[in-house]
DNA sequence: GTGAAAGCGCTAACAT
DNA sequence: ATGTTAGCGCTTTCAC
């Protein structure tokens, strides 16, 4: 069996103290160049690897960032994680990643695990039904930074990173109206979550500005799955008169809906102009290609990780950066384009 | 500032020893029920959280599983990770996750980081261009289990988990032939990787069995991105005579290719029957829907994590389970269906 | 520029 | 059923 080499073994071999080895390994300024070189060489030869537990225990910090997301297998979240990993990795931070599977209970137990594992900071996008902050209180009490992204939770000590869902939803609805839609259905998500609530508000605001009446019968709240989209399609088909516009709070659901509408002989965009949200890869595959809001997950991940690491390293205060709003953009495609005038 | 509570604080409060507190917390059999209850209550009241570093340092094990994948933001990998997380989480293992971004160099440095962080085991799907095992040797030397999944590396001490790419590719090619295709183009990936090499072999074998000549001009090797698919489409359009079948080693690339072919007036499936691989969500959105091989990422993740944890817990030998081959299935859709006979 | 020594918080062997 | 003790491997203060 392989015997693990410690700094004491290196020290013994070189007839110096473990303290010096430790310093040399960390490139401490007050160690001679010669010693450093020698230590580096010897530790290589002996197959030394540092023990992060001992070091973390001693230093009382872990260089681990915890990440809790609703689900790992969503296109958007995968992008976010890729962005986070990129930044964390290049700053020598490790990532603990777990998923809440949209359950507050699991979110809480994951948070507890992160706490026990002494993460230096926590990045969270909250579950569908999370309505209280209890499971994060213990982080705040210990001054462990918690940053929310995308699906955020309002708390004075926690910065938030998101896009302007209100404005994006407003703009996309406005676009549908400019294309001649007057009765626009909105398929939205759980109104507890900022992202979905704001999309509904943006939709309302656009109607208002264009002197269209808000009709709550035109709003369908769902879990925004593809299945929810096809279910919604059947509801829409029964509406009379038939709506002439559709704004769905995510692309997956929009596409599920479009597939049924198409099958039932509805022409998109001439009968119903459709818009989604997220710019999912499928949005360019469906025919007609789906108008949507481009939502940069990768960038959001990078920004979240950078903000966290800056805070961890500089201990600069969060006060100044309470909210970080990322740019999003309207991408107009055939599913909503009724004429060339507005292009 | 918050003072962290240790087992000594609890012990002092209760006038018992730290060892008993430690045992009580771990639900050790030889601690009285009463003591356990008391300890649990007190530790709760005092806001105790265990220090995993101290524990890991002492126990010389981490309950951390390292995962290295080519990229986090791919549909398939996200599914795999979700499966891994599910199993790890419910067995109280934490996950260190990093991405190689298809670079052997980064894969190696990530592996080194995992090693230093004392992961108990490593789950790997190798990068595009990895051709040697050097960066994993140090794990083997230390008896830290390394399990490969999907994109595997042949090594006597490392179990592998994958699907039978050879058979799946054979079956799907055979299906195209049965649908009347005689000149079938194959768009494949890097032949260093088992998954892509075997898909090409399966394709070849199916041709052979059906007395069709293998023509290497019909094989296009690429990185299997959507862009590679559209590039390949233009190559295909220049072939004369035009091929009448197309088997692409992944759906994303297949769809990129189909989109161009369609735009250029090729009818799918009547001019060219098309099949992909992976059963990506987009495969049901493209028109015609794409025939493909269903490839269960989530399941693969679960299996990999279970195998790892069983090994970690029971220390059962890997010898017995060198390779684990998961079921995959052919999903026939309109992109390859020329008549109803073969359905 | 280097060394001695203490201690981070926990676990487990041994003792009772 | 509980206590005593040593030690996991590192960092860091203090000393020289």
């Amino acid at each position: 069996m392989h015997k693990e080499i410690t700094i004491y073994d290196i020290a013994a071999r070189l007839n110096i103290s473990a303290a010096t080895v430790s310093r040399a390994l960390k490139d401490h300024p007050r160690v001679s160049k010669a010693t450093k070189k020698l230590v580096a060489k010897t530790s290589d030869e002996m197959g030394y690897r540092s023990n992060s537990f001992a070091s973390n225990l001693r230093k009382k910090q872990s260089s681990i960032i915890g990440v809790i997301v609703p689900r790992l297998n969503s296109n958007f979240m995968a992008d976010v994680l890729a962005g986070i990993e990129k930044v964390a990795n290049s700053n020598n931070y490790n990532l603990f990643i777990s998923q809440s599977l949209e359950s507050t209970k699991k979110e809480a137990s994951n948070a507890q695990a992160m706490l026990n594992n002494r993460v230096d900071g926590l990045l969270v996008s909250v579950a569908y039904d999370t309505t209280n902050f209890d499971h994060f209180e213990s982080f705040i009490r210990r001054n462990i930074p918690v940053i929310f992204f995308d699906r955020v939770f309002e708390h004075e000590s926690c910065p938030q990173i998101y896009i302007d869902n209100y404005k994006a939803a407003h703009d996309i609805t406005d676009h549908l109206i400019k294309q001649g839609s007057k009765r626009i259905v909105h398929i939205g998500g759980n109104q507890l979550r900022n992202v979905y609530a704001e999309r509904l508000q943006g939709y309302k605001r656009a109607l208002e500005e264009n002197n269209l009446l808000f009709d709550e019968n035109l709003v369908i709240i769902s879990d925004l799955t593809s299945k929810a989209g096809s279910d919604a399609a059947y509801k829409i088909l029964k509406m009379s008169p038939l709506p002439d516009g559709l704004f769905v709070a995510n692309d997956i659901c929009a596409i599920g809906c479009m597939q049924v509408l198409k099958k039932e002989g509805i022409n998109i965009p001439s009968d119903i102009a459709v818009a989604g949200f997220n710019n999912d890869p499928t949005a360019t595959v469906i025919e007609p290609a789906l108008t949507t809001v481009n939502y940069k997950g990768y960038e959001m991940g990078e920004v979240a990780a950078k903000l966290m690491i800056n805070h961890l390293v500089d201990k600069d205060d969060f006060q100044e950066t309470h909210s970080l709003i990322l740019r999003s953009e309207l991408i107009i495609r055939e599913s909503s384009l009724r004429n060339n005038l507005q292009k």
Side-chain angles (χ1 to χ4, degrees), chain A residues 71-290:
Chain A
R71 6 184 42 97
L72 254 23
N73 48 350
S74 104
N75 231 299
F76 173 70
M77 277 307 162
D79 273 344
V80 174
L81 290 175
I84 294 176
E85 198 277 347
K86 161 86 177 318
V87 173
N89 195 307
S90 61
N91 285 277
N92 291 311
Y93 274 84
N94 284 105
L95 252 30
F96 269 163
I97 298 177
S98 71
Q99 52 186 347
S100 63
L101 297 174
E102 302 287 10
S103 135
T104 299
K105 204 172 149 222
K106 203 170 175 244
E107 185 174 284
S109 81
N110 287 352
Q112 185 63 43
M114 298 281 180
L115 192 73
N116 284 343
N117 280 283
R118 300 301 211 259
V119 297
D120 283 347
L122 191 63
L123 260 22
V124 186
S125 188
V126 298
Y128 222 84
D129 60 347
T130 295
T131 53
N132 74 63
F133 192 82
D134 296 354
H135 46 301
F136 300 120
E137 286 296 358
S138 34
F139 289 83
I140 304 304
R141 218 179 308 133
R142 292 178 165 90
N143 261 313
I144 301 169
V146 175
I147 298 177
F148 290 105
F149 62 90
D150 194 44
R151 280 151 58 159
V152 304
F153 195 97
E154 187 55 58
H155 190 285
E156 46 169 356
S157 338
C158 304
Q160 311 177 344
I161 299 166
Y162 49 87
I163 61 162
D164 190 338
N165 289 279
Y166 177 81
K167 178 168 180 304
H170 166 276
D171 292 355
I172 207 162
T173 308
D174 190 66
H175 161 75
L176 289 177
I177 297 169
K178 293 279 189 303
Q179 294 295 314
S181 296
K182 291 199 161 22
R183 275 174 54 81
I184 303 175
V185 167
H186 174 55
I187 307 181
N190 190 329
Q191 296 296 303
L192 285 173
R193 294 282 71 84
N194 61 306
V195 290
Y196 307 123
E198 284 171 19
R199 286 172 206 178
L200 175 58
Q201 292 313 314
Y203 157 85
K204 277 190 185 172
R205 176 78 186 128
L207 295 183
E208 215 172 87
E209 279 178 10
N210 289 276
N211 300 311
L212 293 174
L213 270 185
F214 170 70
D215 176 355
E216 63 178 274
N217 295 314
L218 296 183
V219 173
I220 300 172
I221 298 299
S222 79
D223 62 2
L224 298 178
T225 55
S226 172
K227 171 73 165 49
S230 57
D231 290 350
Y234 292 109
K235 280 192 200 158
I236 290 171
L237 287 165
K238 285 197 198 111
M239 291 177 177
S240 146
L242 199 70
D244 55 6
L246 170 61
F247 164 43
V248 188
N250 97 21
D251 288 348
I252 302 291
C253 182
I255 287 167
C257 190
M258 281 173 77
Q259 288 180 312
V260 171
L261 292 177
K262 280 168 66 180
K263 204 181 61 192
E264 299 292 329
I266 303 292
N267 185 296
I268 298 168
S270 66
D271 295 335
I272 303 184
V274 181
F277 211 106
N278 268 27
N279 197 22
D280 190 272
T282 32
T284 56
V285 173
I286 185 82
E287 290 183 39
L290 181 61

Side-chain angles (χ1 to χ4, degrees), chain A residues 258-327:
Chain A
M258 281 173 77
Q259 288 180 312
V260 171
L261 292 177
K262 280 168 66 180
K263 204 181 61 192
E264 299 292 329
I266 303 292
N267 185 296
I268 298 168
S270 66
D271 295 335
I272 303 184
V274 181
F277 211 106
N278 268 27
N279 197 22
D280 190 272
T282 32
T284 56
V285 173
I286 185 82
E287 290 183 39
L290 181 61
T291 289
T292 188
V293 172
N294 190 26
Y295 201 164
K296 295 178 181 141
Y298 189 85
E299 208 177 285
M300 187 175 281
E302 286 183 311
V303 168
K306 274 180 195 158
L307 180 60
M308 176 61 80
I309 291 174
N310 283 341
H311 178 68
L312 254 21
V313 172
D314 301 343
K315 286 289 167 204
D316 58 338
D317 219 338
F318 269 165
Q319 308 304 74
E320 308 146 29
T321 46
H322 185 64
S323 294
L324 240 156
I325 296 167
L326 301 186
R327 188 189 305 279

